Amino acid sequence: DQQVKQNSPSLSVQEGRISILNCDYTNSMFDYFLWYKKYPAEGPTFLISISSIKDKNEDGRFTVFLNKSAKHLSLHIVPSQPGDSAVYFCAASGSNDYKLSFGAGTTVTVRA
Amino acid sequence: NAGVTQTPKFQVLKTGQSMTLQCAQDMNHEYMSWYRQDPGMGLRLIHYSVGAGITDQGEVPNGYNVSRSTTEDFPLRLLSAAPSQTSVYFCASSYSGGAAYEQYFGPGTRLTVT
């Protein structure tokens, strides 16, 4: 049973607009969350993270929001650029857990 | 630094054959792991290691073996390949496990079992 769910398989957005990617989790023991980005024929690369003591973390054009009560996090990309076209994975684990659980991924396409 | 390297990039096996996917890292990371990526399933953890001589099972370990004799290398062995093992395999390493530490991924091995 998947503990991390990304319910939108794909997202299409116009260049310059905001991309919002959503992720839900079921395990209340999760307290660290990451987003990875993956281009075709390459391995995933780390994008941004957040721990449960925060509700927001920002890094340039990327912001992750965490709503612990709803077990929900989201990634905002503003403004979206063509190079942002990729698959984005949400991942989570507990602080004492070596295992990382991934969502199924959301494919983002940024239109010119 | 080469980071995380994986060989081969592509492999085709017949059902019942065995093979080893190689993974090496030059960042002196203690934690290494293997994932498989399947459409609609994301990345699923196969096996992981928290240091040389220590390995443990992940979410989908059946049909795979690992060993960790050195810090640098973490090979994944398919004992008797099955079509269900057709997938893209990624090796990753980090200072420690879990989401508190960024994991560095290799470029992947695309395996097809016929």
Side-chain angles (χ1 to χ4, degrees), chain B residues 13-33:
Chain B
L13 290 178
K14 293 189 187 312
T15 297
Q17 287 185 315
S18 62
M19 78 159 295
T20 299
L21 308 185
Q22 301 292 344
C23 174
Q25 53 91 9
D26 61 358
M27 297 174 280
N28 203 31
H29 286 164
E30 289 295 324
Y31 183 87
M32 296 185 74
S33 54

Side-chain angles (χ1 to χ4, degrees), chain A residues 32 34 36 43 46 93 97-98 103, chain B residues 31 42 90 98-99 102-103 105-106:
Chain A
Y32 283 95
L34 306 97
Y36 282 85
F46 170 76
S93 81
D97 193 351
Y98 289 114
Chain B
Y31 183 87
F90 291 100
E102 175 186 348
Q103 296 204 29
F105 284 83

Side-chain angles (χ1 to χ4, degrees), chain A residues 27-93:
Chain A
N27 190 337
S28 57
M29 299 301 291
F30 286 160
D31 53 12
Y32 283 95
F33 306 88
L34 306 97
W35 287 91
Y36 282 85
K37 178 178 179 178
K38 185 184 178 305
Y39 292 118
E42 294 184 11
T45 54
F46 170 76
L47 189 59
I48 193 169
S49 65
I50 190 167
S51 75
S52 59
I53 62 172
K54 294 185 173 182
D55 55 17
K56 176 183 171 181
N57 189 25
E58 195 171 349
D59 184 0
R61 297 186 296 115
F62 303 92
T63 303
V64 57
F65 296 92
L66 176 63
N67 183 335
K68 280 194 70 179
S69 61
K71 294 192 179 69
H72 176 84
L73 62 156
S74 61
L75 174 69
H76 292 208
I77 307 173
V78 183
S80 299
Q81 298 175 352
D84 296 331
S85 295
V87 179
Y88 290 79
F89 291 101
C90 174
S93 81

Side-chain angles (χ1 to χ4, degrees), chain A residues 41, chain B residues 6-22 34-39 46 62-65 76-91 107-114:
Chain B
Q6 291 184 238
T7 55
K9 282 189 166 40
F10 302 95
Q11 183 70 49
V12 179
L13 290 178
K14 293 189 187 312
T15 297
Q17 287 185 315
S18 62
M19 78 159 295
T20 299
L21 308 185
Q22 301 292 344
W34 276 101
Y35 294 87
R36 58 178 288 174
Q37 184 193 5
D38 301 295
I46 304 171
N62 292 342
Y64 307 94
N65 270 359
L76 178 73
R77 279 182 286 279
L78 279 72
L79 309 172
S80 176
S84 60
Q85 293 179 304
T86 293
S87 188
V88 181
Y89 291 84
F90 291 100
C91 179
T109 295
R110 184 173 292 273
L111 175 69
T112 302
V113 182
T114 60

